[in-house]
Amino acid sequence: MLQRLKNQATTLKRSTKALYLAAGDQHTPLAARILIALLVAYALSPIDLIPDFIPVIGLLDDLIILPLGVALVIRMIPDQVWQQCLQQADQPLMMKSAFSPIITVSIILLWLWLLLLCTDFISQWLHLL
């Protein structure tokens, strides 16, 4: 059983690298790229559909949603592109800087927009009381 878990972890690691590479490939459909971004955002987000502190069920959404999302994205990527990305995933990954100015500014603007929406909602709710 332990060996099976190790194999699954290795496969997941390889698929994750391949998805990263596929997201940067120009032949990957836009819908697949968007879904990859949403999966990464969901995986890294502190906000879950079901909070993790709820025993068993809290982790269950991550164990179901993420693998299903990955399987869906893999089906959306052309086979030739996916096979090429899997081959490249076996090689050491040379990543660009994770702190691209455009991405950083976009994330900050998104959080500010969400903060503005929340404060507007709260102020309207308080005025109703």
Side-chain angles (χ1 to χ4, degrees):
M1 184 167 130
L2 184 60
Q3 185 61 36
R4 194 173 119 215
L5 286 174
K6 283 183 181 182
N7 291 341
Q8 288 178 342
T10 303
T11 302
L12 180 62
K13 183 178 177 182
R14 183 176 183 229
S15 295
T16 303
K17 279 183 174 180
L19 283 176
Y20 169 78
L21 295 168
D25 192 297
Q26 64 184 357
H27 298 100
T28 300
L30 180 61
R33 290 180 188 190
I34 291 171
L35 190 54
I36 291 170
L38 290 173
L39 284 171
V40 169
Y42 182 77
L44 299 177
S45 174
I47 301 169
D48 282 340
L49 292 177
I50 302 171
D52 288 341
F53 62 83
I54 298 174
V56 181
I57 298 173
L59 297 175
L60 197 58
D61 68 330
D62 294 334
L63 294 174
I64 293 173
I65 291 173
L66 293 175
L68 286 177
V70 168
L72 177 63
V73 170
I74 290 171
R75 287 180 180 225
M76 295 171 72
I77 298 170
D79 287 337
Q80 182 180 3
V81 173
W82 181 244
Q83 293 305 319
Q84 181 182 10
C85 291
L86 280 175
Q87 289 173 355
Q88 291 175 357
D90 291 332
Q91 302 168 2
L93 191 59
M94 300 301 290
M95 294 178 62
K96 298 176 186 175
S97 173
F99 296 105
S100 166
I102 294 172
I103 293 173
T104 304
V105 169
S106 299
I107 291 171
I108 290 170
L109 289 175
L110 175 67
W111 280 107
L112 288 174
W113 179 70
L114 288 172
L115 181 65
L116 182 66
L117 283 177
C118 288
T119 55
D120 184 49
F121 174 76
I122 290 170
S123 68
Q124 288 180 8
W125 182 71
L126 289 175
H127 286 301
L128 292 175
L129 295 178

